[in-house]
RNA sequence: GCACUCCUAGCUCAGCUGGAUAGAGCGCUGCCCUCCGAAGGCAGAGGUCGAUGGUUCGAAUCCAUCGGAGUGCGCCA
């Protein structure tokens, strides 16, 4: 018993969830198709299993002109030879086999180079097949619940909400692409003492529905009401008592309280959906905290019946240090001294509900790292309860948003700070997106004046929003995101617009080419063409890694590599007209159009998986 | 005090299960548009990977200790 509910130490938690993919029907690693013959020859020579060699393959070090390298340390141990000798021996074996691959021994490493034509012959046609672009069967037959965004009613979607919202959205899309069946859940903060204050303030000020609806922004209207009400309550204990009474009435199902609660919720949701629409985000479930209000009693009763709870200073707690050992320093709080329930109980009830509805194999909570302790606590309680899903839940944490502050005040250095902008205002997500769209519009107007107004408006939305979203996803999620308006809304360098631009160039070439001819991939003999092909071929493995680590940034980095290879290839045509896709040689053009298509569909799909649009012109 | 996340180039960050001479973007210095889209490409300068020990044939990567930054720690979520 002891230790069974311990929180995962460091990264062990991830490994515990890993298990072999069920029913992988789609070819998972395109690159394997290329390396298989060579690996087979080496394995036959050594008398081992090719599958044992495959995980050893690694990218070659910079400066070695090779596509992939096999470090020979481990095989050498098996063969009883020094690694450099074995590498040399294997080089001879590969070169003699005539497989379209050149092998060079560099010390203990065996460097493998594939002839561009052989690479293209093996990979180009399958990679240009649209339905398979960025698909994997790794999650086939498995179900995932993803809990993300989760804003509070009567408050704005602040800029920092972009983190949970877009990480969750991207994870939902990536899991789906990897074969999982996904349910997207928005666990609304639609319950709590704040509503008592709101209703109290509303009735005290004698506000009406008409006044709310006439407000230019209903969430702002509610938010200001809340600020007035809580300030008034702070000054006057009678008002605080009134707020508490309304909270209780709401909990007891009082008709007037319930009605106002619904009004506040509807007003907030319509505003949220505007922003979600801008971001292209949607949900399958909007069940909020209120939904679970009458479902926590049974969970508490079960905890008590199993003797897991105790009373401390009037509050109901689970004494985790006692029950789970010294991994926990403090108990988890389930119920306030005044009888009110706390959110650990609500999360337990909600997870039971989700497991009953969806029978998930994995359940993700995309919530900032500041709540790590809370997740460790209720995950541990789930184990104590013996819940079958207790090993299937994951807290997908992320770092906070820091703003640049160059006037921090007396005696403070300019620097990165949490929270507000320099004028002390909360930055709203909608305002950031709108400014990004405006900036994108101005740039497109300058760079591509021929684009019709109507199309430019749509493209500006895709580019502006894409810049902000990609800025949030391109780096590891546990990092804090540093946001500076001027930097985040620039469109050069490693940005969303860079990826979209590479995609638009490819679309432009296809447009000019007209109907796609069926070319012979073996004509793709250039080194830069091979690099594009390899970058695409690696993406299925990249997707699998991104899903297992719950890390959209892994996919983002893979797409940057692909877009870079595409840009190098297409730019080569600026100087060398023989390198162009659209040239005099019809057969060569037809072959290169296969590669254009493969790169285009992978960039478009990759961008979609991150939550960005891929316009055909920009 | 305890726990968690982190420390790689002037700045912002990559670096897959430990692998060869640690990479990219921004900024800086030079180039490349009579246009397949320059929102791009090429070249250059710039790093004892926070420190010290340890494991290993091999460590930015794993372990320990120390230093620094941020976040959290019973009646908010």
């Amino acid at each position: 018993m002891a230790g069974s509910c311990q929180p995962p130490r460091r990264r062990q938690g991830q490994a515990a969830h890993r298990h072999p993919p069920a029913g992988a029907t789609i070819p998972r690693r395109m690159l394997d198709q290329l390396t298989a013959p060579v690996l087979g020859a080496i394995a036959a020579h050594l008398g081992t299993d090719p599958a044992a060699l495959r995980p050893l393959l690694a990218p070659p070090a910079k400066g070695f002109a090779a596509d992939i390298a096999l470090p020979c340390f481990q095989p050498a141990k098996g063969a009883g030879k020094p690694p450099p000798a074995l590498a040399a021996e294997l080089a001879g074996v590969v070169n003699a086999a005539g497989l379209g691959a050149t092998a060079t021994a560099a010390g203990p490493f065996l460097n493998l180079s594939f002839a561009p034509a052989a690479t293209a012959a093996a990979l180009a046609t399958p990679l240009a097949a649209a339905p398979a672009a960025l698909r994997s069967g790794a999650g086939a037959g498995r179900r995932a619940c993803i809990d993300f965004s989760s804003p509070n009613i009567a408050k704005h979607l602040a800029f920092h909400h972009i983190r949970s919202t877009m990480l969750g959205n991207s994870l939902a899309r990536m899991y789906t692409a990897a074969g999982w069946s996904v349910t997207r859940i928005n666990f609304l903060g639609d319950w709590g003492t704040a509503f008592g204050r709101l209703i109290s303030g509303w009735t005290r000020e004698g506000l009406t529905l008409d006044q709310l609806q006439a407000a230019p922004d209903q969430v702002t209207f509610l938010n200001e009401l809340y600020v007035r009400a809580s300030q008034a309550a702070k000054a006057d204990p009678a008002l605080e008592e009134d707020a508490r009474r309304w909270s209780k009435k709401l909990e007891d199902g009082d008709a007037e309280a319930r009605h106002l609660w619904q009004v506040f919720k509807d007003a907030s949701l319509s505003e949220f959906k505007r922003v979600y629409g801008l971001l292209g985000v949607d949900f399958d479930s909007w069940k909020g905290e209120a939904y679970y209000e009458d479902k926590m009693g049974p969970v508490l009763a079960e905890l008590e019946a199993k003797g897991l709870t105790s009373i401390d200073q009037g509050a109901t707690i689970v004494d985790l240090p006692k029950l789970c050992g010294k991994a926990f320093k403090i108990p988890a709080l389930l119920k306030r001294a005044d009888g009110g329930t706390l959110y650990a109980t609500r999360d337990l009830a909600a997870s039971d509900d989700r497991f009953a509805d969806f029978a998930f194999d994995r359940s993700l909570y995309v919530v900032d790292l500041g709540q790590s302790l809370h997740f460790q606590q209720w995950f541990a309680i789930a184990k104590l309860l013996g819940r079958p899903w207790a090993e299937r839940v994951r807290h997908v944490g992320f770092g906070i948003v820091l703003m640049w502050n160059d006037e921090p005040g007396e005696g403070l250095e300019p620097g990165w700070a949490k929270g507000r902008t320099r004028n002390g205002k909360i930055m709203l997500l909608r305002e950031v997106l709108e400014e990004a769209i405006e900036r994108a519009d101005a740039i497109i107007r300058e760079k591509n004046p021929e684009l019709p107004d109507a199309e430019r408006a749509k493209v500006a939305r895709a580019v502006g929003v894409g810049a902000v979203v990609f800025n949030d996803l391109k780096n590891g999620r546990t990092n804090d995101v540093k946001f500076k308006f001027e930097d985040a809304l620039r469109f050069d360098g490693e940005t969303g617009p860079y990826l979209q631009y590479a995609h638009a160039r490819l679309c432009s070439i296809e447009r000019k080419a007209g109907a796609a001819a069926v070319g012979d991939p073996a004509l793709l003999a250039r080194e830069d063409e091979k690099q594009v092909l390899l970058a695409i071929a690696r993406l299925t493995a990249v997707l699998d890694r991104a899903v297992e680590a719950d890390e959209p940034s892994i996919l983002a980095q893979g797409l940057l590599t692909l877009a870079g290879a595409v840009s190098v290839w297409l730019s080569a045509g600026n100087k060398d007209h023989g390198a162009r896709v659209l040239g005099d040689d019809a057969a060569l053009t037809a072959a290169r159009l296969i590669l254009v298509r493969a790169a285009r569909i992978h960039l478009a799909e990759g961008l979609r998986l991150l939550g960005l649009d891929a316009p055909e012109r920009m």
Side-chain angles (χ1 to χ4, degrees):
Chain A
M1 183 74 207
S4 67
C5 52
Q6 298 215 346
R9 259 181 68 76
R10 305 201 170 239
R11 282 156 201 143
Q12 291 172 5
Q14 302 279 318
H17 289 284
R18 210 176 287 150
H19 57 88
T25 50
I26 300 172
R28 292 195 45 207
R29 300 186 177 206
M30 282 293 181
L31 211 53
D32 291 346
Q33 302 198 352
L34 183 65
T35 56
V38 172
L39 234 41
I42 293 172
H45 179 76
L46 293 173
T48 59
D49 184 358
L53 295 174
R54 194 173 306 129
L56 300 178
L57 291 173
K62 178 87 177 175
F64 292 92
D67 300 319
I68 202 149
L70 181 72
C72 294
F73 302 99
Q74 288 180 36
K77 217 166 269 180
K81 294 172 186 169
L86 184 67
E89 180 184 328
L90 293 176
V93 170
V94 172
N95 289 329
L99 296 166
T102 314
T104 318
F109 293 87
L110 182 67
N111 288 327
L112 299 167
S113 293
F114 296 93
T119 309
L123 298 177
T125 303
L127 289 177
L134 266 168
R135 289 291 178 277
S136 146
R142 291 197 277 172
R143 298 164 195 267
C145 287
I146 306 182
D147 178 315
F148 64 105
S149 198
S150 311
N152 289 322
I153 297 299
K155 283 188 183 171
H156 278 288
L157 279 169
F159 178 56
H160 69 259
H161 283 104
I162 195 175
R163 300 237 67 201
S164 175
T165 304
M166 295 317 286
L167 282 165
N169 179 249
S170 176
L171 288 169
R173 293 186 183 187
M174 291 195 309
Y175 268 73
T176 304
W180 290 73
S181 171
V182 172
T183 304
R184 312 155 149 253
I185 300 169
N186 196 346
F187 192 58
L188 295 170
D190 58 1
W191 205 245
T193 52
F195 287 92
R197 289 210 187 88
L198 271 173
I199 298 171
S200 167
W202 177 279
T203 51
R204 190 173 65 93
E205 295 184 16
L207 297 176
T208 66
L209 280 183
D210 290 342
Q211 282 172 285
L212 173 64
Q213 273 152 12
D217 183 325
Q218 299 188 34
V219 172
T220 300
F221 184 93
L222 292 174
N223 206 14
E224 287 172 352
L225 169 63
Y226 178 80
V227 170
R228 286 197 304 274
S230 48
Q231 277 172 353
K234 208 172 274 179
D236 183 350
L239 292 179
E240 183 62 27
E241 183 51 37
D242 188 53
R244 206 170 296 132
R245 264 199 307 277
W246 277 112
S247 284
K248 185 83 173 75
K249 277 173 122 174
L250 183 59
E251 226 166 297
D252 294 342
D254 174 83
E256 188 186 1
R258 279 294 170 136
H259 176 249
L260 283 172
W261 172 82
Q262 190 64 48
V263 165
F264 299 158
K265 188 168 164 176
D266 289 345
S268 299
L269 276 180
S270 68
E271 170 67 14
F272 292 166
K273 284 181 178 172
R274 264 176 70 194
V275 181
Y276 289 143
L278 218 45
L279 290 167
V281 173
D282 204 359
F283 297 90
D284 303 308
S285 165
W286 297 79
K287 281 183 189 172
E289 294 170 351
Y291 175 84
Y292 296 100
E293 133 201 41
D294 60 352
K295 295 173 179 55
M296 292 183 283
V299 178
L300 277 168
E302 186 184 345
L303 280 158
E304 281 164 17
K306 291 184 174 170
L308 297 171
T309 59
S310 43
I311 307 293
D312 189 59
Q313 297 167 41
T316 305
I317 63 164
V318 177
D319 194 344
L320 292 172
K322 193 169 138 196
L323 295 167
C324 296
K326 58 182 186 300
F328 286 95
K329 305 287 188 240
I330 53 170
L333 207 53
L334 294 180
K335 215 160 88 174
R336 282 188 257 130
D338 67 6
T341 48
L342 273 346
Y343 75 138
T345 319
R346 193 146 33 223
D347 276 329
L348 283 163
S351 192
D352 275 340
D353 184 57
R354 291 173 191 179
F355 190 66
D357 284 353
F358 307 116
F360 58 76
D361 298 281
R362 195 178 287 176
S363 184
L364 307 182
Y365 292 84
V366 187
V367 179
D368 71 275
L369 283 165
Q371 296 194 40
S372 299
L373 179 61
H374 165 247
F375 284 99
Q376 282 181 12
Q377 288 182 333
W378 76 262
F379 289 175
I381 296 172
K383 284 180 198 171
L384 288 171
L385 282 170
R387 286 292 185 268
W389 47 260
E391 300 284 351
R392 306 182 186 191
V393 287
R394 286 186 181 185
H395 173 210
V396 178
F398 53 84
I400 59 176
V401 176
L402 301 173
M403 308 276 187
W404 182 257
N405 193 340
D406 44 24
E407 292 172 21
E410 296 301 309
L412 293 171
E413 297 284 312
W416 297 105
K418 186 182 177 180
R420 314 296 159 109
T421 57
R422 54 177 162 260
N423 50 19
K425 268 187 66 179
I426 286 189
M427 206 179 269
L428 300 191
L429 179 49
R430 179 165 49 82
E431 290 171 353
V432 173
L433 295 176
E434 282 166 357
E435 173 151 359
I437 292 168
E438 275 173 38
R439 292 197 190 217
D441 193 82
I443 293 175
I444 297 164
R445 198 188 293 268
E446 179 199 330
K447 305 267 183 183
N448 192 355
E450 292 98 61
L451 210 59
D453 284 356
E455 186 176 351
R456 194 187 62 241
K458 286 171 73 176
V459 172
R461 214 187 87 164
V463 174
V465 173
V468 175
V469 170
F470 190 81
N471 181 253
D472 220 72
L473 297 182
K474 76 172 165 184
N475 295 136
R477 61 177 156 77
T478 56
N479 293 345
D480 291 341
V481 169
K482 285 144 186 157
F483 185 85
K484 202 175 185 178
F485 238 102
E486 306 81 65
D487 288 348
L489 300 186
R490 304 178 4 177
F491 300 145
D492 54 350
E494 296 175 318
T495 63
Y498 174 78
L499 300 179
Q500 291 169 322
Y501 181 73
H503 174 263
R505 285 174 83 178
L506 293 165
C507 288
S508 172
I509 291 172
E510 286 190 321
R511 241 184 343 262
K512 286 178 179 153
V518 180
D520 175 10
L523 295 175
L524 297 171
R526 294 176 55 92
E527 177 63 22
D528 48 22
E529 292 165 346
K530 189 176 82 175
Q531 292 308 320
V532 175
L533 222 34
L534 291 175
I536 301 169
R538 291 191 241 264
L539 285 179
T540 42
V542 166
L543 173 65
D544 285 348
R545 266 200 293 136
V547 166
E548 276 319 298
D550 298 309
E551 260 296 10
S553 69
I554 292 176
L555 178 59
Q557 297 292 333
L559 293 180
L560 284 172
T561 304
L562 171 57
V566 166
S567 293
V568 169
W569 177 43
L570 296 185
S571 298
N574 285 342
K575 290 291 283 279
D576 174 6
H577 285 219
R580 295 189 182 189
V581 174
L582 306 176
D584 302 329
D585 187 331
L588 203 48
T589 292
R592 287 176 177 166
L593 282 171
I594 301 173
L595 188 52
V596 168
R597 178 178 161 79
R600 191 205 84 213
I601 63 178
H602 280 83
L603 276 174
E605 182 60 12
L607 283 165
R608 196 187 67 80
L609 295 183
L610 291 178
L612 281 78
D613 285 337
E616 293 181 8
R617 292 192 281 190
M618 59 189 276

